[in-house]
Amino acid sequence: MKLIGVQITGTGSCLPEQVVTNEDLSKNLDTSDEWILSRTGIGERRFARPDEATSDFAIPAARAALEAAGKTPEDVDLVLCATMTPDMVMPTVSALVQRELGLVNAGGYDINSACTGFVQTITAGSNYIRSGLSKCCLVIGAETMTRIIDPANRNTAVIFADGAGAAVLEPAEAGVSDLIAMSAGLKGDDEVLFVPAGGSRKPLTPERIAAGEQYVVMKGRETFRFAVKTFARLITETCEKAGVAPSELAIVVPHQVNMRIIEAAVERTGITKEVCFLNIATVGNTSAASVAIALDHAVKADRIQRGDLVLFVAFGGGLSWASALFRW
Ligand code: UT7
């Protein structure tokens, strides 16, 4: 079958209204604005209210992406949502988006790959388009991380945050706009970055909830080392696959994980920090939503032009990693 290209024709994002500054967190945690800013690059982030859930952010983000692409809800034939914090175990967030936006012609499903989710999802969606199986695919990354973060654990509470981003994918002329390379990998591990209870191995019980087993456990140092190495390797490996030099990248939209991780990784690959789009200072680490929100903010900041080489890079729980290189 002759492959066609794929184009990202619209983006959108939605952050919760509630802004939480480092000063706010310092009131209840043994931490400080100075520590958080210097160790992570995060100055503030957005937290969902108790009555808000992941689809409350996914729906406006998706609506904005459709508007930007000039598409109607009827045009969408596939909706894919990356999340590890769905509103409920069943139905999917994709199904809730389908209902609220009236995507009457769409099928779809959720993808859980922790922080790597959106990059995996935009790759999957792109391949539906490239194979001709989808003509208009809505891809979303959405999280309410604060539901699985222990507010009393300073190791994780200062990093993670909530929100959603979305993009519309459509066919394009091959050789003009396309997904030109990807990389992905797994190193199965349930000790470095994981949630102990709430799944089928350890269903939630009052005892497990009292022990805080519903919350993310993260070995910060190990995750940090894994992230720097993986990030750097993904940039070089993906560029090699596409036959381009890292210096040719117009923009890298990375998982907004930690400013120091991004700085250390770009130093190892010879690209400049300015090529990386960063919104971590005001958005924090929103896991599967992170690259999706950053993409929309980069588009709004006019950082991406037709023909640009645009690289998405993410890594996280799994352990997992993924990249996707687009000719915009
Ligand atoms: O998105 C999913 C993937 N996640 C990541 O990739 C996260 C990767 N890891 C990180 O970003 C960093 O490891 C952290 C930001 C989590 C921690 O920074 P670090 O520079 O690696 O700090 P550390 O864990 O080595 O801790 C250094 C010190 C410790 O105190 P002692 O033992 O030296 O007395 C910690 O207890 O900093 C302490 N500490 C804090 N102090 C104030 C840890 N968290 C905090 C905090 N405020 N929030």
Side-chain angles (χ1 to χ4, degrees), residues 29-32 35-36 39-40 84 114-115 145 153-160 193 218-228 255-261 285-287 315-317 319:
L29 276 176
D30 181 14
T31 188
S32 65
W35 194 97
I36 302 170
R39 295 287 183 129
T40 71
M84 63 167 157
C115 299
M145 288 302 289
N153 179 351
R154 66 180 182 173
N155 194 24
T156 48
V158 303
I159 297 179
F160 290 102
L193 188 54
M218 183 177 78
K219 291 187 182 153
R221 283 269 126 172
E222 279 99 320
T223 316
F224 193 99
R225 278 194 295 270
F226 155 73
V228 172
H255 174 35
Q256 307 290 310
V257 60
N258 178 325
M259 188 75 89
R260 283 161 51 226
I261 291 175
N285 178 344
T286 56
S287 180
F315 31 80
L319 300 167

Side-chain angles (χ1 to χ4, degrees), residues 178-192:
D178 210 351
L179 168 66
I180 58 174
M182 62 157 279
S183 270
L186 288 169
K187 180 172 179 271
D189 183 293
D190 58 3
E191 288 175 5
V192 174

Side-chain angles (χ1 to χ4, degrees), residues 33 53 66 88 119 140 186 189 196 205 214 228 245 255 272 276 295 297-298:
D33 177 45
L66 283 178
M88 50 193 88
V119 180
I140 306 166
L186 288 169
D189 183 293
T205 59
Q214 69 276 35
V228 172
H255 174 35
T272 61
C276 283
L295 168 61
H297 288 184

Side-chain angles (χ1 to χ4, degrees), residues 63-83:
R63 187 180 288 122
L66 283 178
E67 269 169 28
K71 290 284 144 184
T72 67
E74 292 79 19
D75 292 329
V76 179
D77 56 28
L78 185 63
V79 53
L80 306 175
C81 182
T83 186

